[in-house]
Amino acid sequence: METNTAVMVRIGELWLKSEPVKKQFMTALMRNIRAALDAKDLAYQTEEYRGRVLIYGDAEKIAPEVARIFGIVDVSICTTCGNSPEEISSAAVTLAEKKLKAGMRFAVRARRQQVKGITSQELARIVADAVWEKIPDFVVDLDNPEYELFVEAREYGGIVYDDRIPGQGGLPLGTAGKAMLLLSAGIDSPVAAWLLMRRGVVLSGMFMDGGRWAGPATKNLALDNARILSTWSPGRNFPVWVVNMEPFFDAMSAACETHYTCIYCKRFMMRVADRLALKGKYDALASGENLGQVASQTIQNMGVITASVKTPILRPILTYDKEDTVAIARRIGTFHECPGDTGCRAVPKKPATRSDIDLIETQEAKLNLSDLIENAATTAELWIARDGNISQKIVDA
Ligand code: ATP
Ligand code: MG
């Protein structure tokens, strides 16, 4: 009897879409799977079915790579076989023999789709009986099993597995437009980035280098955040613009009422990001701003920051508690235990928690903003992160 080992990918939300959208999303998902496996030099073959993708190749190596791809519910290393109850039972027994011991609480979960002559319950019973013949004295416990065996009879074959590696959920990267993310050395913006990517948004980053106004660890940390984020979009570039913000800080600190420094600063960042976004087809800007976290992130101040550009600003962690953000940062690898000095020297002693658009515009009018924005954008360095590496791209003048 022929069996094979494969990686089975389960697709969730995607399956609820209309036919044309589903097709488009599946195309993106398959492209992302191939890019991830190609980036690791793995050989593979794929088969697409309703709600499932089977990938043949070195399953132990393929499964963890695929489990990082957005748009996937979970991933299992499975045995594929014929779809008759006999073939499925036989494959199930082989798998169960490795882990199921007498006395263990055991459950079979069966599914059947477009295979006639048998119900799911009957399939489960046949498999359980076959397992009992080899490993008697297990205890059937459907509510709280110690060992769970999944069997599926589908028109294209039988699938048997006993483990599920949780996926990331979300939607395939590349299905939800493109955004320019304000990427800092901190914890919040990389998490915001990851959440947007998980929802299908393709990102570029923009980091504002404060020069002598910023702690010396800042730039390397921000670039490292981009490098780590690139591992979540394998085989794809994650571009990061590094903008020199020193001239703005110099001009602003000399001319403007410093109480509102953080507001001018964030408005300037948004405008430079918006200016850089002109070069590509960006649908939005994005940030790691979080309601109430610091003075510049009150509702009133975020309103004034929003008014700096016409482009929509996405703020995926707006309502998160810091603990939730940190938990994600740790899981996705962007949490730095010892970040070093990333403090901002421009922050005033008592930053304003409430500002007024007229007042801010009056202060900004003291600066030659359009030149500052233009210079910042045109002198920006371009860095490219890809598959966990990052290097500067030298742009010809
Ligand atoms: P984070 O919020 O990411 O932990 P942070 O605490 O240093 O970084 P905040 O002052 O909370 O930054 O700024 C809010 C948001 O503004 C950040 O999440 C990020 O999107 C953006 N931002 C802050 N500093 C920079 C920077 N130097 N370059 C680009 N974007 C920045
Ligand atoms: Mg923050």
Side-chain angles (χ1 to χ4, degrees), residues 188 288 293 297 322:
D188 300 328
Q293 187 182 84
Q297 292 168 28
K322 195 74 185 186

Side-chain angles (χ1 to χ4, degrees), residues 181-192 206-210 214 218 222 225 245 265-266 269-270 286-290 293-294 296-297 317 322 342:
L181 174 98
L182 276 67
L183 179 65
S184 75
I187 298 163
D188 300 328
S189 50
V191 170
M206 185 206 70
F207 165 67
M208 287 293 210
D209 183 0
T218 317
N225 283 335
M245 206 169 170
C265 170
K266 289 286 146 50
M269 288 189 189
M270 290 297 172
S287 81
E289 287 168 303
N290 175 254
Q293 187 182 84
V294 289
S296 61
Q297 292 168 28
I317 63 159
K322 195 74 185 186
T342 61

Side-chain angles (χ1 to χ4, degrees), residues 15 33 148 337 355:
W15 218 250
I33 290 175
E148 215 172 358
E337 290 294 342
S355 58

